[in-house]
């Protein structure tokens, strides 16, 4: 029973629509009517600038960390180590679902990348850092945030399934789910990438910073 309640709380934390609330509270607009229409950090960077983009990215990431960390409220003597780790995955995914389908914003949220990253950071910090490295390399080479997100999520699955050769079935399923989820939430980006109409991160010249 307590587990179900914690999953609901994780979903509600993930549902906090940071980009929507920031755009409405400070700019009187709904971020979903501008740019890519996505209620996430990348579109906030694009529409409202780097300061607010960074703010949204940090809060969306912290939602994943906070929701996943709710596992500490489970009494440790009633659950094995494996059960607790599995429960962390459930909490994190509930937050990611909340981010994508937020109850506080008409169920129209973001693509889940920052919240997924926060969740992975809480569960597998080393793999999270490796995925950030891949994200940054792809971003540097292509300047597409969407492509960087997609390839970093696929890299996450490869790290867990192949490089670290994880044996726990739930973890293996989780790794595949992360890659599939990110590909699914980026369908419009994939179409734009194939058509050559996806927007790139601008290169800041020194005087523009
Ligand atoms: O995390 C979302 C990012 O990968 C793409 O965002 O606004 O370009 O669709 P956007």
């Amino acid at each position: 029973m307590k587990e179900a309640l914690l999953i609901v709380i994780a979903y509600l934390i993930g549902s906090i629509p940071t980009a929507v609330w920031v755009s409405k509270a400070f700019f009187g607009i709904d971020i979903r009517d501008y740019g890519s229409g996505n209620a996430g950090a990348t579109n906030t960077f694009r529409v409202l600038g780097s300061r607010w983009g960074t703010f949204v990215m940090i809060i969306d990431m912290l939602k994943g960390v906070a929701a996943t960390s709710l596992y500490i409220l489970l009494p440790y003597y009633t659950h094995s180590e494996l059960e607790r780790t599995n429960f962390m995955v459930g909490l994190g995914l509930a937050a990611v679902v909340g981010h994508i389908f937020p109850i506080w914003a008409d169920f129209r949220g973001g693509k889940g990348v920052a919240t997924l990253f926060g969740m992975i950071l809480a569960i597998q910090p080393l793999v999270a850092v490796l995925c950030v490295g891949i994200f940054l390399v792809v971003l540097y080479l292509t300047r597409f945030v969407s492509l960087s997100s997609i390839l970093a999520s696929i890299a996450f699955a490869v790290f867990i399934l192949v490089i670290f050769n994880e044996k726990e079935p739930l973890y293996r399923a989780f790794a595949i789910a992360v890659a599939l989820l990110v590909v699914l939430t980026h369908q419009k980006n994939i179409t734009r990438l194939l058509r050559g109409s996806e927007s790139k991160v601008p290169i800041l010249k020194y005087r523009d910073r």
Side-chain angles (χ1 to χ4, degrees):
M1 193 58 208
K2 187 169 185 180
E3 284 89 337
L5 181 64
L6 291 176
I7 292 281
V8 172
I9 294 173
Y11 166 77
L12 294 176
I13 292 173
S15 274
I16 294 169
T18 322
V20 175
W21 283 356
V22 159
S23 63
K24 286 188 174 174
F26 297 102
F27 298 88
I29 62 164
D30 186 329
I31 190 84
R32 294 169 296 185
D33 296 332
Y34 295 85
S36 68
N38 189 50
T42 306
N43 204 31
T44 307
F45 266 101
R46 191 180 286 129
V47 178
L48 305 178
S50 56
R51 196 175 304 174
W52 287 107
T54 306
F55 177 79
V56 169
M57 184 179 69
I58 290 171
I59 300 295
D60 284 352
M61 196 188 81
L62 288 179
K63 292 191 310 189
V65 175
T68 308
S69 304
L70 287 174
Y71 83 97
I72 58 172
L73 297 177
L74 279 187
Y76 70 90
Y77 47 84
T78 56
H79 295 78
S80 68
E81 192 63 34
L82 180 61
E83 284 171 339
R84 288 163 72 82
T85 312
N86 288 349
F87 190 53
M88 286 174 88
V89 171
L91 289 165
L93 285 179
V96 173
V97 169
H99 179 79
I100 299 170
F101 304 106
I103 194 169
W104 318 119
D106 318 315
F107 300 98
R108 290 190 297 126
K111 295 177 180 171
V113 176
T115 307
L116 260 176
F117 173 70
M119 164 192 189
I120 294 168
L121 193 62
I123 300 176
Q124 288 273 5
L126 172 64
V127 184
V129 170
L130 292 172
C131 290
V132 170
I134 287 173
F135 176 93
L136 291 175
V137 169
V138 179
L139 186 63
Y140 177 76
L141 294 176
T142 69
R143 290 166 42 215
F144 292 124
V145 178
S146 54
L147 186 63
S148 311
S149 304
I150 293 166
L151 293 183
S153 72
I154 292 171
F156 173 72
V158 172
F159 278 127
I160 297 292
L161 298 175
V162 183
I163 299 182
F164 291 98
N165 195 15
E166 175 63 49
K167 294 284 186 285
E168 173 56 33
L170 189 112
Y171 255 42
R172 296 180 70 83
F174 166 55
I176 295 167
V178 166
L180 280 179
L181 187 69
V182 172
V183 169
L184 277 177
T185 58
H186 285 75
Q187 284 181 80
K188 286 183 185 163
N189 303 82
I190 292 169
T191 306
R192 287 196 294 264
L193 283 165
L194 293 174
R195 284 188 187 144
S197 56
E198 178 72 326
S199 60
K200 291 187 172 190
V201 171
I203 296 175
L204 292 179
K205 297 192 180 73
Y206 182 75
R207 63 175 179 278
D208 297 331
R209 288 179 196 169

